[in-house]
Amino acid sequence: MGEPQFFFTAIKIFFPVGEGCTRATKKCAEDLHKRNFFTYHIIKKARKSVLTRQNDFIHKRRVGIKEEQDRIRIAQGRMSDGHKILTLFQIFQHVFKGKPMNKHTSTAHSVQFSYDDIHQNSNTQTLIEAMKQTMVDDSVWAMLTRFFAYLTTYITPYGKGSVLWFNVMEYLLPDVVFNEDGFGNVYVVVGDSPTVMFTSHVDTVSTASTNFSRSFDGRFVRTDGATILGADDKAGVAAMLTMIQQGRKGLYYFFDGEECGGKGSSAVAKKFTEQRQFDGIKYCISLDRKEYSDIITYQAGGQCCSLAFASSLSDALAKQGMFLDPCPDGIYTDSAEFVGMIAECTNLSVGYFGEHTTSEKQDMNFLYRLTKALIALDDSTLIVDRKILKNRNRYSRHDDE
């Protein structure tokens, strides 16, 4: 479709269809216009058919689920929102420009801080104690809430503070080897020859002042409204650190620059495309989706994982009491950069709401349950069905930099 479109555009520029055209040129232009018009609608119809089949599949799954599962889903609020078809303009604005899609982002000034500022922050310690009272004897809850409280003490944009967060990770998990990749990212390998890669990102869309506090109401963590919380994506980071601490086998990648169009992950994808560093990895699972319900099958304008894989992952999580379903309405996260190297790439809901706004909040109960489900997840039950594209780095936006 690319060549006819280019030819048609050239004809329109150099031989405008009008009074000055020859009949042959005019007929050629009209034929090409019709061909592209029908091709466009054939592709549009096929895309609509795929989405319809996915939605029908999701509906059938929901109808067949037991009453108790439905009750949990309703309690999670996952049936309240309809699917929203994103426009290419929205995807371009969010991914290529690195700008938040919501205009109500905090404008607080960035600050200089050290690890001691985080460790001695009274609000951080108060938040940890408040969350600790909910499940005193649960080690996963204790580690998850501690990690999240530390990570959300300050909010840092791309390139400002990521090194500090990595130092905080090393302090919180002193027995773990954190490896730097040369692009501002850090990764951890747990176990021999892992087949799954988990990703999250440490950067946020805005900076934060020192005079904001967080509170916990028994379920949600939120700020006082002075700035964003940074649960996008400190929630994913906290979950992954907990999984590492629990010894869950996998390759864990903490990226910087996701909010700027995947700067860190695209650099890794570009470097490792030829070196084939990810050939042993079958699945890439990002923990960076809002709300409760989604296993993303489409993002960045294309398919990132097969419906068969998403369904098998949904079934595996359901066995652990988590009910997420395939969803084609993804925008973008770091896993999109690896669709040319890893067969199945997705993004899971982690329970944050109001991302990129001062009303952002994180459901810690949901994040806890998801983390426990991922720790117990049986990788062998997951299905690989999507063929890797010949253009191995299809979604990378920085090939020409």
Side-chain angles (χ1 to χ4, degrees):
M1 185 171 169
E3 294 180 359
Q5 182 64 46
F6 174 80
F7 184 56
F8 176 55
T9 303
I11 289 177
K12 287 174 64 179
I13 295 174
F14 297 105
F15 303 97
V17 178
E19 293 294 328
C21 295
T22 65
R23 292 183 179 179
T25 302
K26 185 174 181 179
K27 187 176 186 304
C28 179
E30 290 174 348
D31 289 343
L32 285 171
H33 180 274
K34 291 179 181 179
R35 186 185 309 169
N36 281 275
F37 178 83
F38 287 116
T39 302
Y40 166 79
H41 281 280
I42 289 172
I43 293 174
K44 183 178 180 181
K45 186 176 181 180
R47 166 76 171 172
K48 184 177 180 180
S49 176
V50 171
L51 297 183
T52 300
R53 288 199 302 272
Q54 285 203 14
N55 288 333
D56 288 345
F57 176 83
I58 292 170
H59 176 70
K60 290 178 181 178
R61 286 178 58 82
R62 287 176 176 169
V63 171
I65 288 178
K66 295 182 298 183
E67 182 180 353
E68 177 63 14
Q69 294 177 344
D70 287 339
R71 183 192 66 76
I72 295 175
R73 289 183 173 189
I74 293 172
Q76 292 175 347
R78 46 180 316 295
M79 292 183 180
S80 61
D81 293 335
H83 289 303
K84 299 177 181 178
I85 305 301
L86 296 169
T87 64
L88 291 177
F89 171 77
Q90 287 176 304
I91 295 175
F92 176 86
Q93 182 187 46
H94 180 74
V95 178
F96 290 76
K97 294 298 184 181
K99 297 179 180 179
M101 295 173 63
N102 194 309
K103 296 181 180 179
H104 302 292
T105 304
S106 168
T107 56
H109 297 292
S110 61
V111 294
Q112 299 295 325
F113 55 89
S114 64
Y115 172 73
D116 288 337
D117 295 327
I118 297 175
H119 183 64
Q120 298 172 8
N121 185 282
S122 59
N123 180 246
T124 296
Q125 299 304 322
T126 300
L127 185 63
I128 291 174
E129 288 301 316
M131 292 190 287
K132 183 178 179 181
Q133 299 306 313
T134 304
M135 299 183 190
V136 178
D137 298 326
D138 192 291
S139 61
V140 173
W141 174 261
M143 296 304 297
L144 178 69
T145 53
R146 183 182 182 216
F147 292 149
F148 187 80
Y150 271 80
L151 291 166
T152 56
T153 304
Y154 291 97
I155 310 302
T156 48
Y158 167 58
K160 295 182 179 180
S162 60
V163 175
L164 171 64
W165 293 130
F166 297 145
N167 290 337
V168 171
M169 292 179 195
E170 289 180 333
Y171 175 84
L172 294 172
L173 295 174
D175 297 328
V176 174
V177 177
F178 288 87
N179 305 282
E180 297 183 16
D181 65 0
F183 300 108
N185 312 304
V186 165
Y187 65 93
V188 174
V189 180
V190 178
D192 297 327
S193 304
T195 58
V196 59
M197 176 168 75
F198 297 99
T199 83
S200 59
H201 64 90
V202 297
D203 63 308
T204 56
V205 296
S206 96
T207 59
S209 60
T210 57
N211 59 346
F212 82 95
S213 62
R214 295 149 294 163
S215 61
F216 178 64
D217 61 8
R219 179 177 178 182
F220 289 99
V221 173
R222 42 169 64 90
T223 73
D224 57 5
T227 183
I228 64 173
L229 176 62
D232 176 12
D233 182 33
K234 301 297 176 58
V237 175
M240 285 172 50
L241 289 175
T242 306
M243 291 161 66
I244 292 172
Q245 188 270 337
Q246 293 291 313
R248 204 281 184 213
K249 184 177 179 180
L251 169 62
Y252 296 82
Y253 233 115
F254 302 89
F255 290 111
D256 195 12
E258 189 273 350
E259 299 290 1
C260 297
K263 289 284 188 178
S265 56
S266 64
V268 172
K270 182 178 179 181
K271 176 181 179 181
F272 290 154
T273 294
E274 295 182 357
Q275 297 183 16
R276 308 178 72 85
Q277 295 287 338
F278 298 107
D279 280 358
I281 302 296
K282 298 179 180 179
Y283 330 102
C284 177
I285 300 176
S286 291
L287 305 180
D288 187 27
R289 177 68 173 176
K290 64 181 180 179
E291 302 180 5
Y292 299 128
S293 61
D294 297 337
I295 299 173
I296 295 300
T297 57
Y298 281 82
Q299 58 175 320
Q303 186 180 27
C304 56
C305 77
S306 66
L307 183 58
F309 167 77
S311 300
S312 66
L313 180 56
S314 177
D315 291 338
L317 290 173
K319 292 179 180 178
Q320 307 301 325
M322 296 300 296
F323 307 108
L324 287 76
D325 283 321
C327 173
D329 299 337
I331 303 175
Y332 167 83
T333 195
D334 294 305
S335 58
E337 298 293 342
F338 300 97
V339 296
M341 289 170 280
I342 300 173
E344 304 289 359
C345 302
T346 189
N347 188 16
L348 301 186
S349 293
V350 294
Y352 60 69
F353 293 79
E355 67 279 8
H356 303 182
T357 75
T358 56
S359 61
E360 183 179 14
K361 61 182 180 179
Q362 173 65 47
D363 188 331
M364 295 304 299
N365 293 342
F366 179 87
L367 185 61
Y368 160 73
R369 291 169 50 233
L370 177 66
T371 303
K372 291 200 71 172
L374 291 173
I375 292 172
L377 181 69
D378 183 2
D379 299 351
S380 64
T381 63
L382 302 182
I383 297 173
V384 177
D385 192 52
R386 189 183 74 90
K387 293 183 180 179
I388 296 178
L389 301 172
K390 292 182 180 179
N391 186 356
R392 291 174 61 85
N393 209 19
R394 182 177 176 224
Y395 291 143
S396 181
R397 277 159 293 285
H398 308 288
D399 288 346
D400 298 329
E401 291 185 359

